[in-house]
Amino acid sequence: MSIALSDEHEELAASLRKWAASLDALDAVRAAEGDADARFDTVWTAVEEMGVASIAVPESTGGGGGSLLDQAVALEACAYELVPGGLLGAAVGAIVTGRPGRHAVQAHPGGVLWDGGTAGVAPGVIGIDLSARHAATGEGVVLDESGRRTAVTLGAAEASGIARWCLDTAVEYAKVREQFGRPIGSFQAIKHLCAEMLETAEAVTAAAWDAACAADGDEEQWAFAVDVALATCFSGAVEVAKSCIQVLGGIGFTYEHDAHFYLRRAVSLRGLVGSGDEAAARLTAAAVAGVRRRVDVDLGGLDEPLRHDVRATAERIAALPEEERRAALVECGYQTPHWPAPYGLGADPVTQVVIDQELGRAGVTRPDLVIAGWAVPTILQHGTDAQRERFVRPSLLGDLTWCQLFSEPGSGSDLASLRTRATRVEGGWSLKGQKVWSSVAERADWAICLARTDAEVPQHKGITYFLVDMRSEGIDVRPLREITGEALFNEVFLDDVFVPDDCVVAEPGDGWRLARTTLANERVAMASARLGKSVERAVELAAAGLDPAGSARVGHAVALATVCGLLGVRTTLRALGGHGPGAESSVAKLLGVRSRQTSSALVVDLQGDAVATVGAIERDTPGISADVWEMLNTRCLSIAGGTTQILRNVAGERILGLPR
């Protein structure tokens, strides 16, 4: 995905990319090799005619009258084609002066330097970026804080364009380049490398987008968003460019291939905008002071017909005693508004967002459905009327607790290889096998269970989806102690457990399809302003004082957690625009796992040698004991629900289109 989310911005980006491609920009860069005075005049004439650098300049002074986000979309598109000649400097200078012109920006110990005029564009020095010329002397004026933020924001947009080109180039090459008789993209190592590039590119894009969006709002929020971008985008673009060359192999190391020009631009941008570690340290200070990124969504007036009634309902629920709120949420459909009536409202994305906003405003928190949140949608979509009547409402009310019996000792991510058997008996089925990693199985009322009902067909076609009464004879639940010392999971042994026919969901053999079910009307939600448990704990430790290196580490954790939230916001905005989920929704889990694991490890690391003498490790004991528990417990996140490695395979194949 690109910075552009709206139809208007997508059209702008597509138009400018097509135009930029027609300039044959890299031909101009190659032709100017060794020419320190090259101004790329032919390209620049086209840039001026298109008004690309002055999109955010007021119309009254000859500009396009657009926003900083409009300008960011344009610069990302042009960076994708590596338009030369200082477009970034021209755009920043035009915004600073309020009029179109050809300006330059450059690195300076005092901050980002602006030349203040039109003369310093080609001062005679060829740097690492062969598509630009930068001054060797610090002549000019250092941008004020608003100008610095503008430069970082638009530089981040260029970084996003670079990362996008590098990702696309690597993926396309991996699809067609063959080694050992197969496309290299079918090899897991290449697939994972491309998926990691996708993760980083999505993070870069989300942070760049948010910095541009925040410019029209609160100054404190813009400063925070810009520092997230500075801590994320520029090193991210460098890493994606490096990985692109790695995927390309020897051809990527040649001067003839374009990849090195993108790496050069990324490295130059990173040097231009300032230190990512310093930005991270500022994020830590801001977080300690209570600042969090809050993204306001403009619903375009579509919320106005809904807002009054939703607010009244939310306030009515908030006025109830705590023990009565769950039933009230279920009764009015606010517990699961995206589910179809009568269990939800079949709510569209706008309605879902309004309900979330008003419940949050009223201080009402929805109960977590846990495994019921996976089981009930399958019953809703594929079950019988009797099954829906029997299970849905009691599950919503919390009267039924569910567990999941999917994974087996020999079938983790490779779920299709499961060995639990279901044999036909009078009136139903007899299940025999072993399940593992089943949380709350020791107290669950019911389980969703996959078992093999046909061994004569391909693995994924012979699986059936069962609803199992956990009080049935033949079920043996054994606690499974984890690395935390606790037993959150269980092994479950099924010894000729009878399941009646009315507890089969859909038809025998449909289990694989059902296991992947989500409701067509997906849940839409805005991200919380909180940074996550361990990142908030790291901020708490930072408040007590850290050295500069420690402060930077906390700030990078703040930046990553913020980006994870931004991915969710972008997914919601796509839904509000009538589009299906993009790459953000798939990448969010991978980056979210990384955020939780690295931040929990950081919290422990920040406490130094105290970790060696910690006593009993308990999650409910404040301080380092709970911190160590959290660090150990989060190790499961890259395993549960599909390992990170398997999810990267899926991302590589389903999002990037790499071959199996």
Side-chain angles (χ1 to χ4, degrees):
M1 304 302 299
S2 68
I3 289 175
L5 286 180
S6 68
D7 291 342
E8 180 183 358
H9 279 154
E10 287 181 349
E11 290 174 7
L12 173 64
S15 174
L16 282 176
R17 272 180 55 177
K18 184 177 180 180
W19 164 80
S22 73
L23 298 178
D24 296 321
L26 285 176
D27 287 346
V29 173
R30 293 178 190 278
E33 182 181 358
D35 181 1
D37 295 322
R39 295 172 58 88
F40 306 105
D41 286 338
T42 301
V43 171
W44 190 256
T45 297
V47 168
E48 289 182 317
E49 289 176 351
M50 285 290 289
V52 179
S54 56
I55 288 174
V57 173
E59 290 182 354
S60 60
T61 56
S67 66
L68 193 60
L69 179 58
D70 298 330
Q71 187 69 71
V73 169
L75 261 63
E76 180 193 45
C78 291
Y80 189 95
E81 300 295 340
L82 213 69
V83 172
L87 181 54
L88 172 62
V92 173
I95 292 171
V96 169
T97 63
R99 63 181 185 276
R102 194 170 182 186
H103 311 270
V105 291
Q106 50 197 282
H108 186 271
V112 180
L113 190 75
W114 168 54
D115 75 354
T118 61
V121 177
V125 175
I126 301 175
I128 187 173
D129 180 5
L130 302 182
S131 65
R133 302 292 185 264
H134 295 293
T137 59
E139 298 177 357
V141 294
V142 176
L143 293 170
D144 63 14
E145 184 58 22
S146 178
R148 183 192 71 82
R149 291 178 195 161
T150 299
V152 173
T153 298
L154 296 184
E158 283 211 350
S160 179
I162 291 165
R164 291 284 146 197
W165 182 91
C166 292
L167 173 62
D168 290 349
T169 299
V171 168
E172 291 308 308
Y173 185 79
K175 291 177 182 178
V176 299
R177 171 61 169 163
E178 292 192 358
Q179 289 283 280
F180 307 104
R182 296 165 56 193
I184 63 172
S186 66
F187 300 136
Q188 183 165 277
I190 299 297
K191 200 168 291 179
H192 284 195
L193 185 54
C194 290
E196 289 169 4
M197 292 172 69
L198 172 66
E199 294 168 39
T200 304
E202 287 297 327
V204 170
T205 300
W209 165 81
D210 188 50
C213 290
D216 292 334
D218 178 78
E219 287 290 315
E220 183 180 67
Q221 286 289 295
W222 187 27
F224 192 91
V226 166
D227 279 335
V228 169
L230 184 46
T232 303
C233 297
F234 301 97
S235 289
V238 170
E239 291 308 309
V240 175
K242 289 179 181 177
S243 295
C244 175
I245 293 173
Q246 184 68 26
V247 173
L248 293 170
I251 190 67
F253 189 67
T254 65
Y255 192 91
E256 286 71 19
H257 199 282
D258 296 341
H260 71 99
F261 290 112
Y262 286 83
L263 174 60
R264 289 167 178 273
R265 173 73 69 88
V267 172
S268 180
L269 278 174
R270 185 171 63 178
L272 177 68
V273 296
S275 168
D277 283 348
E278 290 178 4
R282 289 193 295 271
L283 285 173
T284 299
V288 167
V291 181
R292 303 291 185 274
R293 184 70 182 105
R294 300 182 306 276
V295 181
D296 296 323
V297 175
D298 181 6
L299 297 175
L302 296 175
D303 57 321
E304 293 177 4
L306 310 168
R307 183 75 64 179
H308 180 270
D309 289 346
V310 171
R311 178 170 295 179
T313 301
E315 290 176 347
R316 176 178 60 78
I317 295 171
L320 296 172
E322 186 71 35
E323 64 274 12
E324 296 179 18
R325 291 183 179 180
R326 180 167 190 157
L329 285 166
V330 173
E331 189 64 33
C332 68
Y334 281 21
Q335 173 65 27
T336 49
H338 58 302
W339 287 5
Y343 309 107
L345 302 174
D348 61 22
V350 171
T351 303
Q352 291 183 52
V353 170
V354 172
I355 291 172
D356 276 7
Q357 289 174 339
E358 293 303 325
L359 288 177
R361 178 180 174 276
V364 176
T365 301
R366 292 187 183 96
D368 187 355
L369 296 179
V370 198
I371 305 299
W374 306 343
V376 177
T378 305
I379 296 171
L380 277 174
Q381 187 163 339
H382 300 287
T384 64
D385 288 341
Q387 288 171 343
R388 283 187 280 271
E389 179 69 24
R390 181 178 182 183
F391 294 112
V392 177
R393 184 176 174 81
S395 299
L396 289 173
L397 292 171
D399 296 335
L400 294 181
T401 299
W402 291 82
C403 68
Q404 179 177 277
L405 303 180
F406 282 11
S407 295
E408 298 181 2
S411 303
S413 297
D414 182 16
L415 194 57
S417 67
L418 63 84
R419 296 182 179 180
T420 296
R421 300 283 181 177
T423 305
R424 258 291 184 196
V425 295
E426 184 178 354
W429 301 80
S430 178
L431 275 59
K432 192 175 186 66
Q434 179 185 356
K435 299 292 185 177
V436 74
W437 315 124
S438 300
S439 57
V440 308
E442 78 283 358
R443 56 185 174 85
D445 302 296
W446 285 83
I448 50 176
C449 179
L450 295 181
R452 187 167 303 286
T453 50
D454 190 344
E456 304 302 321
V457 297
Q459 283 188 337
H460 66 283
K461 292 186 177 180
I463 297 172
T464 298
Y465 197 106
F466 294 95
L467 307 178
V468 178
D469 186 342
M470 289 297 289
R471 295 160 295 187
S472 299
E473 186 177 347
I475 294 180
D476 182 14
V477 178
R478 302 179 189 177
L480 186 63
R481 199 175 185 210
E482 296 91 42
I483 63 175
T484 61
E486 297 185 2
L488 300 178
F489 298 110
N490 301 274
E491 292 180 287
V492 179
F493 294 86
L494 306 167
D495 186 10
D496 292 328
V497 176
F498 176 71
V499 178
D501 282 325
D502 62 7
C503 285
V504 173
V505 183
E507 299 296 327
D510 284 342
W512 180 257
R513 176 173 62 90
L514 268 60
R516 300 168 64 183
T517 288
T518 54
L519 285 177
N521 194 7
E522 293 282 359
R523 174 81 172 96
V524 171
M526 295 305 298
S528 167
R530 284 186 57 81
L531 297 167
K533 180 178 180 179
S534 292
V535 181
E536 294 287 0
R537 173 68 171 140
V539 171
E540 179 184 326
L541 293 173
L546 291 174
D547 61 25
S551 182
R553 293 177 68 192
V554 172
H556 282 295
V558 169
L560 179 56
T562 301
V563 166
C564 290
L566 294 174
L567 292 171
V569 173
R570 281 171 60 83
T571 297
T572 294
L573 289 173
R574 284 183 58 80
L576 291 171
H579 301 286
E584 300 101 337
S585 57
S586 298
V587 168
K589 181 182 189 301
L590 289 164
L591 285 180
V593 166
R594 186 194 306 177
S595 176
R596 287 189 61 186
Q597 288 185 333
T598 57
S599 61
S600 63
L602 171 62
V603 166
V604 172
D605 197 32
L606 289 175
Q607 298 182 78
D609 59 7
V611 67
T613 56
V614 66
I617 299 171
E618 299 177 1
R619 57 175 162 168
D620 297 323
T621 301
I624 193 169
S625 177
D627 296 337
V628 172
W629 186 94
E630 183 71 10
M631 181 270 292
L632 292 173
N633 187 58
T634 56
R635 297 317 310 163
C636 77
L637 297 178
S638 52
I639 301 170
T643 67
T644 292
Q645 290 68 36
I646 294 299
L647 291 178
R648 283 184 176 143
N649 282 350
V650 172
E653 293 166 7
R654 296 185 186 172
I655 298 175
L656 300 178
L658 293 171
R660 289 180 177 273

